[in-house]
Amino acid sequence: MATPLSAEKHLKALRDEGLKVSEHRSWRTNNRNHKGSWGPAHGVMIHHTVSSGDDSSVELCYNGHSALPGPLCHGVGRNDGTVALVSSARANHAGSGDGDVLRAVIHETALPAPNEANTDGNRHFYGLEIVNLGDNKDTYTRAQYRAAVLWAAALCRAHGWSEKSVIGHKEWQPGKIDPRGPIEGGGSFSMTQFRADVRAQLTAKPGTPAPSKPATPSKPVPPKEAPVALSDADVQRIAKAAADEVWRVMAKSDGVYLAPTDDPQYSPTVTDPGHYWSGRQVMADLVRRVRDTQKAVADLVAAQKKES
């Protein structure tokens, strides 16, 4: 049995864990205590808001709506990783759920599948609503997810609970689906993984930053080769190789010049004029190749001079 935290202790626990918190309006006195008891507290529960827009979602969770008066949770997970506090006591978030699940949370044993709605959960659970449409398409930001882990770990740490006191709404009440949806960077919201992340946070000191991904090892840089000067013979060989390639093309098919396949007008059809080149085209291509070779050689020589 755990006495719920006061507003001040609640706030301190969250901030000590390293969570970025905003205090929304009169959150300390915004509650449903006039409709039922608040406590003993036994665990924390994760939800999604089925809404979009941080500011409007915070207002919704603070005020509620015609069918369900607010507050609708204790904290609202904004997209930037801030948790907005909207209540410090009883809130309309858990509703009625399975008493067997509550007993498993109290004893921190394996959770049974919920199949009844016979127990008041608003009395026993802190609730976090994460801003998300809940359509299994809207993506939770990494900052939102990390903030939810810190929020749950902070309250568990304050009460001496383990991660086994953390549940999702879908694990409490039959027919509920929250939380669900993809998470920025990969993966989907899994309560099994979420509890593992809370456990990891609880093993660290409060305020410890999230573990960063290991840096990708940089590829070894090959040693820079020393520039090799081109001799006149090298230049002649390069030019001759270009000319030989052109004459090789010209020698095809008994003096009929086949067009190279990289020619924009090339056609693979042997009856098409684009399959062949005229002597003028061959000579023009030879001149172009020689000029390109001359430029490449000049660039190499210039680069060698610069290196030396």
Side-chain angles (χ1 to χ4, degrees), residues 6-307:
S6 66
E8 289 307 317
K9 288 183 178 179
H10 186 144
L11 179 61
K12 184 178 186 302
L14 298 182
R15 286 179 170 163
D16 285 351
E17 200 68 36
L19 181 64
K20 185 166 62 172
V21 178
S22 66
E23 300 179 69
H24 191 68
R25 294 166 54 186
S26 301
W27 72 276
R28 288 175 172 81
T29 56
N30 187 38
N31 59 61
R32 300 287 295 167
N33 289 5
H34 59 290
K35 290 295 183 179
S37 300
W38 170 229
H42 293 304
V44 300
M45 189 176 295
I46 308 298
H47 310 256
H48 58 231
T49 60
V50 196
S51 64
S52 61
D54 287 337
D55 292 342
S56 59
S57 296
V58 171
E59 283 296 330
L60 172 65
C61 290
Y62 184 91
N63 295 314
H65 48 80
S66 59
L68 189 65
L72 304 183
C73 58
H74 297 90
V76 183
R78 300 171 66 100
N79 280 274
D80 66 354
T82 302
V83 169
L85 298 180
V86 295
S87 180
S88 67
R90 183 182 175 96
N92 270 339
H93 70 98
S96 295
D98 197 317
D100 291 335
V101 174
L102 179 61
R103 282 185 282 277
V105 171
I106 292 172
H107 297 292
E108 296 198 323
T109 56
L111 295 174
N115 56 20
E116 294 182 286
N118 58 7
T119 303
D120 178 14
N122 294 334
R123 176 179 181 178
H124 300 298
F125 289 95
Y126 297 94
L128 176 71
E129 289 276 3
I130 308 175
V131 178
N132 188 277
L133 291 173
D135 58 0
N136 223 19
K137 298 178 182 178
D138 192 17
T139 300
Y140 297 91
T141 67
R142 291 300 305 174
Q144 274 182 307
Y145 183 85
R146 176 61 181 165
V149 169
L150 292 177
W151 176 86
L155 295 175
C156 286
R157 196 188 300 276
H159 285 293
W161 300 330
S162 79
E163 79 285 353
K164 294 180 181 179
S165 289
V166 179
I167 65 172
H169 198 195
K170 60 187 175 185
E171 296 174 310
W172 168 246
Q173 190 178 96
K176 294 297 182 182
I177 60 173
D178 53 324
R180 71 169 183 174
I183 299 172
E184 179 185 11
S188 295
F189 208 118
S190 158
M191 286 307 302
T192 300
Q193 182 59 52
F194 185 81
R195 278 186 283 270
D197 292 335
V198 172
R199 180 175 65 250
Q201 179 62 28
L202 287 171
T203 61
K205 293 177 64 177
T208 301
S212 58
K213 293 182 179 179
T216 304
S218 58
K219 294 181 179 180
V221 179
K224 194 171 184 179
E225 296 182 1
V228 178
L230 287 174
S231 65
D232 290 341
D234 293 328
V235 175
Q236 292 298 324
R237 277 196 298 271
I238 294 171
K240 184 176 183 300
D244 286 348
E245 175 62 18
V246 174
W247 291 118
R248 186 186 66 79
V249 173
M250 292 177 66
K252 293 272 188 174
S253 300
D254 298 325
V256 177
Y257 310 138
L258 299 179
T261 56
D262 59 352
D263 178 34
Q265 306 301 320
Y266 174 77
S267 170
T269 306
V270 295
T271 57
D272 193 307
H275 192 71
Y276 306 97
W277 263 10
S278 68
R280 185 186 296 273
Q281 286 174 295
V282 172
M283 293 308 298
D285 185 64
L286 174 59
V287 172
R288 177 185 62 79
R289 289 173 183 261
V290 171
R291 286 176 176 170
D292 288 347
T293 302
Q294 289 174 329
K295 182 178 184 305
V297 170
D299 290 343
L300 282 171
V301 172
Q304 290 169 355
K305 289 181 178 179
K306 185 176 181 180
E307 289 290 339

